[in-house]
Amino acid sequence: MYNHKEIEKKWQSFWETNKTFKTTNIHNKKAYILDMFPYPSGAGLHVGHLEGYTATDIISRYKRLQGYDVLHPIGWDAFGLPAEQYALKTGNNPNEFTIKNIDNFRRQLKSLGFSYDYDKEINTTDPKYYYWTQWIFKEFYKAGLASIESIDVNWCEGLGTVLANEEVVEVDGIRVSERGHFPVVKKPMDQWVLKITKYANELLDGLKEVNWPNSVVQLQKNWIGKSAGYNVFWKIKNSTTTITTYTTRLDTIYGVSAIILSPEHPLVSKITTSTFRSLVNKYISQMKLKTDLERTNPSKEKTGVFTGSYVTHPLTKKDIPIWISEYILKSYGSGAIMAVPAHDERDYKFARKYNLEINSIIETNEPLPYVGDGKHINSDIANKLLNNDASEKIFEALSKLRQARKSVNYKLHDWVFSRQRYWGEPFPVIYDENNNIYLVKELVELPKINNIKPSNDGKGPLANVKEWTRFKIGKQYFSHDTNVMPQWAGSSWYYLAYILKNDDGTYLPLDSEEAKKRFEQWLPVDLYIGGQEHAVLHLLYARFWHRFLFDKGLVPTKEPFMKLINQGLILGTDGQKMSKSLGNVINPDEYVESHGADALRTYEMFMGPLVDSKSWNVDSLDGIRRWLDRVYNQISYFIQPQNQDPLLESNELESEINKLIVDVEENLSQYKFNVIISKMMVFINFLTTLEKINTLSALKKFVVMFSLFAPHLAEELLFLMHEKPLDQQIWPYADKQKIIAKNPVIGIQVNGKVRGEIEILPNWKEIDVLNNAKAINSVSKWLEGKKIIKEIYKEGKIISFITN
Ligand code: ANZ
């Protein structure tokens, strides 16, 4: 048994003093390998972090051995709500405990032997860092992409703050905050808004360039929600006003039986006739209390009122009544629709309730509403056509009348960027007494205050700070913004910050020539590993900021992250997601102590495919630790001179090691780390069949590959072999010529259980395979006295016998 405590400590301090993992800049190929940086919570690192971090560490080490310059950094996403809530609960200052938490995280990462360049370490709460977060914000402002708007925001009374749509979830049909599940209501407020919708198309297009899991691409596509349709302009009867509706089903225009506006539509007051005014006003005030979710919930009955006005159908010239209804959202499309009850679920229900006409214009035997495609009927110029052709034909006719235009809409909303909180980046702006905005050139530092309770008028804690809300420059009074930026601000550009970080702790100016050169060298990120929970929020925001910086000519690529992998969840021993309340959380410190970092790393990679969910199992961890001991013992044995014989023929060992190199490379390219460990186990098993070997060279190659998983033990073995340390080693070359082609050996099953194996000779036919298989002792005893009712031979895979 090797002494993991001694060995791991020894090599960790060796790496630290030698700056083994310092980012190099000497080769002509680079690899930027990125982890989703952690939020440094008080609980410390959990085994889920460790899974992704081990995977990127493996690839980083592999690339270094292959002669790449590797950038593999880590940092801290340290602003955010949990720290603020903890501070409120305990009265501790987030400035202080954040530093403590970070120290603890760093200690843990180092105890696991991850090959980070700690000179590149960043912290989003460091004023030197967030000066640049503020700088990017100012650039957005200058470009007209950041502005203050009075908008309906998601107001969360429980958290005392506004939330982004992305931070609101639905539980039992009620909108609640993602954190804490407090109710969320709509409320108009002055807020900073970043105009991500201006980038909707670019963000959609960019998805074609990246090599991401399909599920994430799909989630982002749906979030952006591109819809290509038509605006139709309807002339109001006895008026010069027109109403614009948005539709994706222009083909159904002959089936229209009402125009419906959202209750908030600006034309409502203008078109409502005196007879209907009081009903309409009453309806509008009722709707103010409802959320969008309630209003669009398909299981709830839809209400509405008639306005008293009509439009003229542009093709049939018939009168069409104008209604208002809750299910039309003001913020989508044009805030008004043409209702086609026969072919739309919601319109159908609405028409039934209010006795509107239901005119089918598609030939079908199915019950209405029929939403599928089909031959058009009762549609004059579009009769007999299918949907697309009908739409085109109708569009042509309406274009001539100047009553239709093609239009693209997105579900994506602009990003509400203000938070009524303390623990975030302050806005780099000040206001004069007339509320004029001035950008602040210098850093606007977050004041270190003790009372971080929100002020009770819906403003953030900074509203309680006198010097913050009123100060003098010259003769004029000014105030700061009492909001701070959201959690996601600092993480929207952190992968650029690593590149800009200098050894002395400063950052290269993001807009400098020098920065440009460094970006040219390192971007894009070649591999990014992290949890699936960031599929939309972080990954969409970072892409938005990056694309903006690209448009400004500051970064050389359109997309920041080329290859993305979502690691699977590591579940507790009970198969449940780890949580404090279930008491099934695994603390890595404990296992580093008992089994060693190498065992923990290797175990996590052996648990199963990287992207799958896997349950923790201490027995398998024990097994991996025993395997590492075997590796150590077996190689130590051959290191002893009496177990080496230079005259010995080594064809088989050469074959095995070269085969292993090929297998390892192939599986590395597919991130199949668990398969690699199995192959290494087979190799070690093979070694145990040898008494002596001729040289250590094959074993050295093994140890270099093994170092990806168990770097400490690998360094120690190289040292015992009198070899140079890992940073002076290179990735072994696979000499395929030396691989001896072998006959395949496959398993034999009887009634579903494996009872033996057999080597398949090249000249055998299927009948020979089966007969020889039956004759094998371990198999024949299960067939004795039984009748074989089925025999199966799957070439290269398995032989199977079923008996009665
Ligand atoms: C007529 C029609 C006929 C429609 C039919 C559908 C089926 P996507 O694909 O999601 O973009 N719509 C337009 N604006 C709306 C708003 N502000 N609030 C609620 N609904 C709105 O959906 C586009 C369809 O959603 C549009 O096409 C419109 O209804 C509705 F057989 O117009 B359709």
Side-chain angles (χ1 to χ4, degrees):
M1 232 172 92
Y2 72 99
N3 183 336
H4 62 262
K5 284 187 197 162
E6 214 170 85
I7 288 180
E8 291 178 359
K9 219 165 109 200
K10 168 179 163 189
W11 290 103
Q12 281 162 20
S13 68
F14 176 87
W15 296 330
E16 193 148 341
T17 32
N18 289 285
K19 289 209 175 256
T20 301
F21 308 121
K22 179 127 193 76
T23 311
T24 54
N25 187 6
I26 47 179
H27 304 287
N28 54 9
K29 40 187 187 176
K30 67 96 185 178
Y32 186 176
I33 316 283
L34 184 66
D35 286 304
M36 289 187 183
F37 65 159
Y39 174 78
S41 74
L45 201 68
H46 62 73
V47 290
H49 286 122
L50 220 144
E51 183 190 17
Y53 297 172
T54 305
T56 54
D57 193 60
I58 287 169
I59 300 298
S60 299
R61 288 173 177 276
Y62 176 45
K63 293 284 171 185
R64 284 193 204 95
L65 286 163
Q66 284 185 312
Y68 282 75
D69 287 323
V70 172
L71 176 56
H72 185 45
I74 194 76
W76 322 105
D77 187 14
F79 273 133
L81 199 51
E84 181 147 341
Q85 283 173 322
Y86 178 75
L88 275 171
K89 215 160 60 189
T90 62
N92 288 311
N93 192 319
N95 287 291
E96 283 157 22
F97 66 75
T98 296
I99 299 291
K100 275 197 204 133
N101 290 353
I102 286 176
D103 287 343
N104 185 46
F105 262 74
R106 193 188 303 102
R107 173 192 65 74
Q108 289 186 298
L109 292 180
K110 287 191 173 174
S111 80
L112 282 152
F114 293 135
S115 64
Y116 295 119
D117 175 359
Y118 286 95
D119 289 341
K120 289 284 187 189
E121 187 179 326
I122 56 161
N123 169 358
T124 55
T125 67
D126 173 4
K128 286 201 291 291
Y129 180 96
Y130 69 72
Y131 168 78
W132 288 103
T133 312
Q134 294 179 344
W135 186 89
I136 299 172
F137 175 83
K138 286 182 274 189
E139 294 303 310
F140 273 121
Y141 181 79
K142 289 187 220 162
L145 292 168
S147 63
I148 293 182
E149 279 168 33
S150 172
I151 34 170
D152 272 353
V153 294
N154 302 306
W155 172 253
C156 178
E157 188 67 40
L159 295 175
T161 187
V162 165
L163 299 173
N165 286 333
E166 292 84 336
E167 293 166 310
V168 179
V169 293
E170 204 183 301
V171 176
D172 302 333
I174 301 171
R175 282 158 55 86
V176 295
S177 58
E178 189 184 17
R179 283 187 196 286
H181 286 194
F182 298 108
V184 173
V185 296
K186 290 270 171 188
K187 175 175 169 182
M189 262 177 110
D190 274 353
Q191 301 287 317
W192 279 108
V193 165
L194 287 193
K195 299 190 176 155
I196 189 171
T197 52
K198 289 252 155 68
Y199 274 81
N201 222 5
E202 281 88 347
L203 291 173
L204 207 55
D205 257 8
L207 291 172
K208 291 181 201 138
E209 283 186 28
V210 294
N211 178 4
W212 284 16
N214 234 332
S215 59
V216 180
V217 170
Q218 211 45 52
L219 279 168
Q220 292 220 348
K221 275 191 185 163
N222 292 345
W223 193 265
I224 296 167
K226 183 174 180 166
S227 157
Y230 304 84
N231 281 340
V232 179
F233 313 112
W234 304 77
K235 291 186 180 150
I236 297 177
K237 213 180 150 191
N238 304 325
S239 157
T240 53
T241 315
T242 57
I243 292 178
T244 306
T245 59
Y246 175 68
T247 179
T248 45
R249 292 290 308 275
L250 188 60
D251 63 293
T252 62
I253 198 163
Y254 287 94
V256 170
S257 48
I259 296 297
I260 312 181
L261 311 188
S262 84
E264 301 85 355
H265 198 288
L267 283 180
V268 172
S269 62
K270 199 171 165 188
I271 61 171
T272 303
T273 60
S274 52
T275 325
F276 293 90
R277 178 136 301 147
S278 70
L279 270 178
V280 165
N281 285 347
K282 193 170 151 220
Y283 184 74
I284 291 173
S285 56
Q286 283 169 358
M287 285 311 121
K288 287 212 171 107
L289 304 173
K290 290 199 176 182
T291 64
D292 280 3
L293 196 85
E294 258 182 283
R295 284 173 44 171
T296 52
N297 186 340
S299 64
K300 292 245 168 81
E301 199 178 44
K302 297 294 165 291
T303 59
V305 279
F306 178 45
T307 62
S309 288
Y310 295 83
V311 294
T312 309
H313 193 292
L315 302 174
T316 65
K317 306 296 176 202
K318 276 194 195 152
D319 288 351
I320 309 279
I322 308 173
W323 286 65
I324 65 175
S325 169
E326 58 187 310
Y327 75 94
I328 312 306
L329 300 175
K330 72 163 175 182
S331 56
Y332 189 64
S334 61
I337 67 154
M338 55 181 224
V340 184
H343 306 292
D344 180 272
E345 299 274 355
R346 293 175 306 177
D347 299 348
Y348 183 79
K349 282 192 193 146
F350 193 78
R352 289 295 295 258
K353 185 168 159 97
Y354 294 109
N355 274 323
L356 300 173
E357 284 179 36
I358 300 174
N359 302 321
S360 180
I361 54 95
I362 293 177
E363 199 173 76
T364 175
N365 296 323
E366 312 223 356
L368 298 180
Y370 173 70
V371 299
D373 200 352
K375 254 192 206 158
H376 282 55
I377 51 173
N378 304 325
S379 294
D380 192 11
I381 57 170
N383 278 340
K384 293 195 181 132
L385 300 177
L386 296 180
N387 284 8
N388 283 340
D389 293 341
S391 285
E392 273 307 310
K393 188 94 186 181
I394 291 166
F395 178 61
E396 238 170 69
L398 290 179
S399 299
K400 282 193 192 127
L401 301 168
R402 296 174 179 266
Q403 280 189 273
R405 201 173 289 155
K406 290 201 172 164
S407 167
V408 172
N409 278 286
Y410 297 93
K411 297 260 150 56
L412 185 68
H413 289 290
D414 278 333
W415 178 9
V416 179
F417 201 65
S418 300
R419 295 293 179 278
Q420 291 65 50
R421 286 181 202 152
Y422 168 69
W423 193 231
E425 299 86 350
F427 284 91
V429 301
I430 53 174
Y431 306 89
D432 66 17
E433 286 175 301
N434 298 319
N435 257 339
N436 293 311
I437 301 173
Y438 302 85
L439 293 183
V440 181
K441 233 181 137 194
E442 302 78 28
L443 168 76
V444 176
E445 199 166 342
L446 184 66
K448 292 197 168 63
I449 55 172
N450 284 324
N451 174 18
I452 61 163
K453 287 210 170 58
S455 78
N456 39 26
D457 52 358
K459 290 189 177 151
L462 289 171
N464 297 328
V465 184
K466 264 211 194 113
E467 317 80 72
W468 193 258
T469 50
R470 193 170 159 85
F471 58 95
K472 222 172 172 177
I473 303 176
K475 283 187 189 138
Q476 274 210 69
Y477 282 99
F478 290 88
S479 60
H480 281 289
D481 198 312
T482 56
N483 298 304
V484 294
M485 295 185 196
Q487 169 106 56
W488 314 102
S491 58
S492 290
W493 71 284
Y494 78 107
Y495 58 95
L496 298 175
Y498 290 130
I499 299 176
L500 297 173
K501 179 94 189 282
N502 295 315
D503 285 352
D504 63 1
T506 61
Y507 291 87
L508 268 185
L510 204 152
D511 55 343
S512 62
E513 275 308 306
E514 183 75 7
K516 215 174 203 171
K517 271 185 225 148
R518 279 200 209 166
F519 288 148
E520 286 280 351
Q521 184 192 348
W522 289 111
L523 289 175
V525 170
D526 298 284
L527 174 65
Y528 195 18
I529 297 187
Q532 161 96 37
E533 68 274 19
H534 294 295
V536 239
L537 313 177
H538 158 61
L539 285 170
L540 192 66
Y541 295 149
R543 292 183 57 230
F544 166 44
W545 284 38
H546 190 90
R547 190 63 183 244
F548 170 65
L549 295 173
F550 171 78
D551 283 352
K552 288 190 61 60
L554 295 174
V555 296
T557 61
K558 285 185 182 168
E559 286 293 323
F561 315 122
M562 277 331 280
K563 167 82 186 166
L564 174 74
I565 298 178
N566 292 135
Q567 83 231 25
L569 279 182
I570 294 202
L571 308 170
T573 47
D574 52 1
Q576 306 262 42
K577 199 171 164 176
M578 286 188 201
S579 81
K580 253 193 222 159
S581 58
L582 287 176
N584 60 356
V585 178
I586 308 274
N587 178 355
D589 281 349
E590 198 183 299
Y591 290 103
V592 170
E593 180 75 18
S594 59
H595 291 67
D598 285 336
L600 196 51
R601 292 167 54 115
T602 309
Y603 166 62
E604 286 215 10
M605 293 300 99
F606 189 61
M607 286 175 87
L610 184 58
V611 297
D612 286 7
S613 292
K614 304 155 280 242
S615 301
W616 194 264
N617 181 323
V618 182
D619 291 341
S620 330
L621 174 59
D622 289 342
I624 285 290
R625 171 59 216 232
R626 281 195 300 274
W627 181 65
L628 294 189
D629 282 323
R630 271 186 85 193
V631 173
Y632 178 77
N633 294 339
Q634 194 59 49
I635 292 179
S636 302
Y637 167 86
F638 287 121
I639 289 173
Q640 295 167 44
Q642 72 268 25
N643 297 326
Q644 295 173 26
D645 177 359
L647 298 176
L648 211 66
E649 199 185 316
S650 74
N651 295 346
E652 214 181 343
L653 177 57
E654 279 301 309
S655 171
E656 289 298 318
I657 189 68
N658 282 295
K659 201 166 87 196
L660 183 65
I661 299 171
V662 171
D663 283 344
V664 171
E665 286 175 352
E666 191 181 306
N667 285 292
L668 275 175
S669 72
Q670 297 168 53
Y671 310 95
K672 290 186 179 166
F673 304 124
N674 56 328
V675 176
I676 295 175
I677 296 168
S678 312
K679 303 263 179 196
M680 287 183 169
M681 287 174 169
V682 172
F683 179 78
I684 294 295
N685 283 348
F686 162 75
L687 282 187
T688 60
T689 65
L690 306 179
E691 223 165 284
K692 291 187 179 192
I693 58 175
N694 64 342
T695 76
L696 286 176
S697 89
L699 299 197
K700 183 186 129 185
K701 289 176 188 168
F702 170 81
V703 172
V704 168
M705 295 190 285
F706 176 67
S707 76
L708 306 188
F709 297 86
H712 310 85
L713 187 50
E715 287 277 25
E716 183 67 14
L717 288 170
L718 288 174
F719 174 76
L720 295 175
M721 291 174 174
H722 304 290
E723 287 286 346
K724 292 190 176 128
L726 279 169
D727 59 341
Q728 294 170 59
Q729 296 292 341
I730 56 167
W731 187 254
Y733 167 74
D735 188 347
K736 290 187 185 153
Q737 308 274 337
K738 296 209 167 134
I739 299 175
I740 304 162
K742 276 193 190 159
N743 294 325
V745 175
I746 66 173
I748 307 163
Q749 286 184 355
V750 180
N751 295 329
K753 285 217 168 79
V754 178
R755 298 298 186 189
E757 54 179 36
I758 185 169
E759 183 181 342
I760 312 289
L761 299 186
N763 56 348
W764 282 1
K765 306 224 167 60
E766 178 164 343
I767 180 83
D768 305 313
V769 172
L770 292 171
N771 285 338
N772 279 291
K774 281 179 216 162
I776 287 178
N777 276 342
S778 62
V779 175
S780 62
K781 70 176 181 204
W782 296 98
L783 300 175
E784 244 166 47
K786 304 241 168 72
K787 194 172 165 208
I788 299 175
I789 51 176
K790 203 169 181 188
E791 321 181 313
I792 303 162
Y793 170 44
K794 284 205 184 120
E795 220 180 297
K797 296 218 169 85
I798 197 92
I799 299 164
S800 178
F801 298 112
I802 312 283
T803 67
N804 59 353

